[in-house]
Amino acid sequence: METLRLTTKEEDIRRAGEIIRYGGLVAFPTETVYGLGANALDAEAVASIYRAKGRPSDNPMIVHIADATDLFGLVEGGAAALGADASRLITNLWPGPLTMVFRKSDAVPAVTTGGLDTVAVRMPQNQTARRLIKDAGKPIAAPSANLSGRPSPTTAEDVLEDMDGRINAVIMGEACDVGIESTVLDLTGNVPQILRPGAVTKERLSEVLGREVIYDASLTEDRHDASNEEDVRPKSPGMKYVHYSPKAKVRIIRGSTEEFTERARQIGLDAAKVGRRTAIIDYDGDPEKAARRLFADLRELDRQGYDIILIRAIANVGFGFSVMNRMLRSAGYDIVDSSETR
Ligand code: TXA
Ligand code: MG
């Protein structure tokens, strides 16, 4: 199929809304990453998202809404069933990079939730995303707009790299502000639990809720070999799949800029002897900068044909914890200290 390039002008957004209403697929910008959207209530349309991405169909979608009131029809028991935690989070942190998991209503097809009886919902901040959802008049199911396993796209060009010819249209909006996907918070248990870390940190959630928030055990485990995955099964099904993988081999190195630079230089020299090219990235310990650049850099370095990508670690706290989660996954958990010789 031919993939339409749409602008953010009103008539183009209207066209995109129409495509969604008719069961088509439209990629669109959000503040986190680009999403690949379809009508969340149309099982056929949602099934075609899995096909376009080459995604396993047990991996559930996030449903995007433009108004908090759109949430009521998606959750079991409607507005009356939303607890105090949900209300606080909606008031303080929506719209924004926070996804909440609730028990789902019958209105949400099983295909949208990968067969789960829960539904993940997010109200994005990005104006183009909000206009599209409003114009479509439907909640929009949207995973990140990449082929399954590839780094999430943070520019319209990166969407086209994976999706040109596979979807109906792309809204050619701006580069994403945050650069990594939303925080996914499970509200169905006794204690709110983070299934995927993002820009809304654990500390911020605790502050808003006035109580403890915990990480899913799979996020804080040190070892991530295959045997371990058996014991600590992530509750967020998407977290168990290979993710964010460029073609190049990625390695994370801890240490000061000087230590990192020296170690990276040595590795680069060794690799050059056997004809392999090494790219070296230092985000200066800045989590916002790292988040904004990471996925785009991985894609760009792949295009340039690098074999090895060495990235300096950032501090594993606050938003840095979320960014390190993506870096480590893109590296297959290959992380060393500058002083280590392996
Ligand atoms: O920032 C984002 O969240 C982006 C933009 C487009 O909004 N979307 C995104 O979607 O990252 P996706 O499909 O790439 O990731 C959705 C994550 C997966 O890890 C999935 O397993 C989890 O959310 N998820 C979705 N529904 C869930 C549910 N009912 N229970 C637990 N986890 C769920
Ligand atoms: Mg994704």
Side-chain angles (χ1 to χ4, degrees):
M1 81 177 72
E2 198 197 330
T3 301
L4 286 173
R5 274 76 165 158
L6 300 174
T7 70
T8 56
K9 289 197 193 111
E10 203 175 317
E11 65 267 26
D12 274 9
I13 300 285
R14 214 176 301 129
R15 179 115 185 248
E18 203 172 6
I19 294 172
I20 298 273
R21 276 199 302 284
Y22 281 100
L25 299 183
V26 178
F28 61 97
T30 82
E31 69 275 28
T32 57
V33 301
Y34 271 72
L36 176 53
N39 177 356
L41 307 181
D42 177 343
E44 281 288 314
V46 174
S48 69
I49 297 181
Y50 289 108
R51 286 196 296 274
K53 277 184 65 92
R55 177 180 181 134
S57 59
D58 67 339
N59 195 352
M61 312 273 169
I62 293 173
V63 177
H64 298 70
I65 58 177
D67 289 298
T69 51
D70 297 339
L71 176 63
F72 305 156
L74 302 173
V75 301
E76 186 183 69
L82 292 177
D85 286 343
S87 304
R88 283 210 183 90
L89 295 170
I90 291 169
T91 307
N92 290 284
L93 298 173
W94 269 8
L98 173 66
T99 297
M100 291 184 238
V101 176
F102 305 94
R103 302 222 158 278
K104 81 171 193 72
S105 75
D106 294 338
V108 184
V111 62
T112 303
T113 64
L116 298 176
D117 56 7
T118 53
V119 61
V121 187
R122 170 160 115 81
M123 185 179 357
Q125 168 87 68
N126 179 283
Q127 288 308 318
T128 304
R130 299 171 65 78
R131 286 163 59 212
L132 173 65
I133 300 164
K134 281 196 184 130
D135 229 285
K138 306 283 180 194
I140 295 185
S144 48
N146 50 283
L147 287 174
S148 193
R150 300 264 300 143
S152 299
T154 53
T155 65
E157 289 70 28
D158 286 351
V159 173
L160 285 167
E161 182 180 43
D162 283 14
M163 291 296 163
D164 199 7
R166 303 175 72 91
I167 61 177
N168 299 101
V170 180
I171 300 178
M172 306 289 291
E174 65 280 23
C176 301
D177 236 24
V178 177
I180 65 169
E181 309 85 347
S182 63
T183 304
V184 177
L185 183 70
D186 184 356
L187 290 176
T188 64
N190 291 327
V191 181
Q193 189 175 34
I194 294 174
L195 305 183
R196 181 176 71 182
V200 178
T201 61
K202 181 167 175 275
E203 294 74 19
R204 180 77 181 116
L205 290 166
S206 290
E207 183 184 56
V208 167
L209 293 175
R211 67 163 170 142
E212 189 197 16
V213 171
I214 58 176
Y215 284 124
D216 178 47
S218 66
L219 296 176
T220 49
E221 278 296 308
D222 282 345
R223 295 175 58 239
H224 285 269
D225 50 284
S227 60
N228 196 42
E229 299 274 296
E230 303 269 310
D231 312 336
V232 191
R233 198 175 295 271
K235 287 221 188 64
S236 178
M239 298 296 276
K240 76 177 181 233
Y241 296 109
V242 177
H243 251 76
Y244 318 123
S245 309
K247 296 174 202 111
K249 173 159 182 20
V250 181
R251 171 172 273 195
I252 314 299
I253 303 177
R254 295 192 202 91
S256 67
T257 287
E258 294 71 29
E259 292 164 339
F260 166 78
T261 306
E262 180 50 27
R263 181 87 179 92
R265 197 182 63 83
Q266 285 164 8
I267 294 173
L269 285 174
D270 288 345
K273 286 180 197 151
V274 291
R276 306 182 69 194
R277 295 172 65 218
T278 305
I280 298 173
I281 307 179
D282 184 350
Y283 294 114
D284 306 317
D286 178 344
E288 274 81 23
K289 180 164 149 189
R292 203 171 299 124
R293 294 289 325 153
L294 178 66
F295 292 150
D297 283 347
L298 294 178
R299 281 175 177 272
E300 178 56 28
L301 294 170
D302 259 357
R303 283 191 290 263
Q304 293 179 19
Y306 282 93
D307 304 294
I308 301 171
I309 302 172
L310 303 173
I311 310 178
R312 185 176 160 225
I314 59 173
N316 204 17
V317 294
F319 185 34
F321 177 82
S322 311
V323 182
M324 281 300 288
N325 171 273
R326 306 310 195 277
M327 266 194 210
L328 285 164
R329 293 164 68 85
S330 70
Y333 297 95
D334 182 355
I335 180 165
V336 294
D337 288 321
S338 313
S339 55
E340 280 175 57
T341 49
R342 80 177 169 88

